[in-house]
Amino acid sequence: MTQYIDVQDVAEIVQREGLPQMIAAMASYIESDYRDWKSFDKSARVASHSTVGVIELMPTANEALYAFKYVNGHPQNTFSALPTVMAFGVLADVGTGFPLLLSEMTLLTAIRTAAMSALAASRLARKSSRSMAMIGNGSQSEFQAIAFHSMLGIREIRLYDTDIEASQKLKRNLAAFPGLEVTISQTAEHAVRGADIVTTVTADKTNATILRPEMVEPGMHVNAVGGDCPGKTELHPEVLSLARVVVEYEPQTRIEGDIQQMPADFPVTEFHQIVSGAQPGRTSEQEVTVFDSVGFALEDFSALRYLRDLGQRHGVGHELNLVPTLHDPKDLYALVRPGSSQSGVIDKGSKVQAKAALA
């Protein structure tokens, strides 16, 4: 049987584990998989664009497991009481193709994106970083703030969003973290001034210039999360020219990231090169660094792998009869044979044996 973990299941796991602890543990799973970079199938995600948004499939696999995520991005969804981003994912056994896990990934993606951002910043930001500006205060902003507070020791966050209610919402939610000072800025310029780290996580599908070169200071690390599809950027091109730019998977980021604005030979470093030691992390206190993050399938693979482990540990989730399990695997017709009463389905004991064989 396929393990099924829904939204409430993930929320329950977060309550049991604690969100900061989950973010740190997921970052560890992601880092482990980046160390194993060469063993993964890699491709840019498959995207279906429309005038109002995008729907994407994000697949990857190693020798043992296959994973994919279905995810959308529709900035106007909030006017229809729907999330801007919605997602689900599958983890399957490569040896048989059997789907081991079907899971919600809207909440899980917010957690894995925050984990990836903090993981990259742990290599690229100054170790002394204690302040961050957060430009864009929507549904992923709490996760980003908590990740940087818990993993990097950020103590001060200045918020800016064109929607003041979004900033007020974020400030209320972060009040549960007494070691974190949160203020709302009236302009992006004010929020960014003097910040060690700048996180941009806006939703509009447009070539925006959230961060301009005059706003960048020596030693700053930019965590650019919101530019994640063709025609959607957040950084002025000169900001990229000033910085050392790190990406997840270069062929995908050239299409979807902020570097889509740059020449094809614009130099970038893939994150796995830093994890493996082939390239250094931050090279000086004065270096400006940019993590041009668009989200990569390997990170979803890590998230699903981690969630499967957590679901089994906590006994959370449900068994789902997603694919038939038959007495005779060549006799699918047995399920619909007149008068069969589904006699072709194997009994529960045999299902347990089949499940154990795939574990």
Side-chain angles (χ1 to χ4, degrees):
M1 300 288 277
T2 302
Q3 184 184 10
Y4 173 55
I5 297 181
D6 66 17
V7 176
Q8 291 304 315
D9 293 328
V10 174
E12 181 179 342
I13 290 172
V14 173
Q15 292 296 327
R16 293 186 185 185
E17 289 282 315
L19 183 56
Q21 292 77 13
M22 276 192 70
I23 289 172
M26 191 176 292
S28 178
Y29 271 64
I30 293 170
E31 184 173 31
S32 175
D33 287 333
Y34 267 103
R35 289 186 188 280
D36 201 24
W37 178 261
K38 291 183 180 179
S39 73
F40 282 89
D41 294 335
K42 294 173 284 289
S43 63
R45 53 191 160 205
V46 180
S48 176
H49 294 277
S50 69
T51 56
V52 293
V54 62
I55 296 173
E56 300 170 327
L57 288 178
M58 301 173 64
T60 191
N62 62 14
E63 292 182 354
L65 296 169
Y66 171 91
F68 78 82
K69 181 173 76 175
Y70 165 102
V71 62
N72 78 302
H74 287 71
Q76 302 304 313
N77 269 8
T78 53
F79 297 108
S80 303
L82 289 172
T84 297
V85 175
M86 298 174 284
F88 69 86
V90 169
L91 189 68
D93 176 69
V94 166
T96 63
F98 189 87
L100 302 170
L101 173 66
L102 171 64
S103 175
E104 85 81 35
M105 288 197 75
T106 307
L107 180 53
L108 196 66
T109 294
I111 297 171
R112 79 92 160 120
T113 303
M116 185 64 215
S117 292
L119 175 62
S122 72
R123 303 299 187 100
L124 297 173
R126 291 176 294 193
K127 300 302 180 186
S128 60
S129 296
R130 295 294 178 266
S131 63
M132 181 168 77
M134 178 83 71
I135 312 301
N137 302 159
S139 62
Q140 294 208 27
S141 56
E142 284 87 355
F143 300 89
Q144 291 282 328
I146 292 166
F148 278 82
H149 174 56
S150 61
M151 287 184 61
L152 274 78
I154 292 298
R155 298 171 186 164
E156 176 193 0
I157 299 184
R158 295 193 293 273
L159 314 178
Y160 175 72
D161 196 298
T162 55
D163 177 5
I164 186 64
E165 292 183 359
S167 299
Q168 293 168 343
K169 174 268 307 181
L170 177 55
K171 185 176 181 179
R172 286 194 304 270
N173 287 337
L174 294 179
F177 297 85
L180 189 57
E181 179 185 347
V182 182
T183 58
I184 297 175
S185 298
Q186 298 303 309
T187 65
E189 289 82 359
H190 179 267
V192 166
R193 192 173 302 130
D196 297 310
I197 298 171
V198 176
T199 290
T200 58
V201 58
T202 60
D204 287 342
K205 189 178 179 181
T206 183
N207 288 315
T209 52
I210 306 300
L211 195 65
R212 302 185 303 277
E214 65 269 20
M215 299 163 68
V216 176
E217 300 176 12
M220 185 177 280
H221 171 62
V222 181
N223 175 42
V225 180
D228 58 5
C229 70
K232 185 172 185 280
T233 59
E234 296 180 311
L235 310 183
H236 191 286
E238 289 184 25
V239 171
L240 299 168
S241 297
L242 291 170
R244 180 184 176 206
V245 179
V246 174
V247 302
E248 291 141 315
Y249 178 54
E250 183 177 348
Q252 178 175 291
T253 311
R254 292 280 182 193
I255 298 169
E256 300 181 343
D258 271 276
I259 61 169
Q260 66 185 267
Q261 309 171 83
M262 308 303 286
D265 59 352
F266 178 76
V268 298
T269 300
E270 288 187 324
F271 183 68
H272 72 91
Q273 297 174 298
I274 296 175
V275 172
S276 69
Q279 293 290 331
R282 170 172 286 272
T283 60
S284 75
E285 291 294 291
Q286 299 301 304
E287 183 179 44
V288 176
T289 55
V290 171
F291 179 46
D292 189 0
S293 173
V294 298
F296 184 53
L298 179 145
E299 297 149 23
D300 299 312
F301 178 100
S302 306
L304 287 165
R305 190 166 64 84
Y306 175 50
L307 184 64
R308 185 186 184 218
D309 290 349
L310 281 180
Q312 292 175 345
R313 183 192 311 164
H314 289 288
V316 172
H318 318 275
E319 288 192 341
L320 187 66
N321 198 18
L322 186 63
V323 295
T325 311
L326 305 166
H327 279 299
D328 179 358
K330 295 183 179 180
D331 190 9
L332 182 62
Y333 181 71
L335 291 175
V336 296
R337 186 182 297 121
S340 67
S341 299
Q342 297 186 352
S343 60
V345 179
I346 66 175
D347 60 29
K348 186 175 181 179
S350 298
K351 287 180 182 179
V352 171
Q353 293 174 5
K355 183 179 178 182
L358 289 166

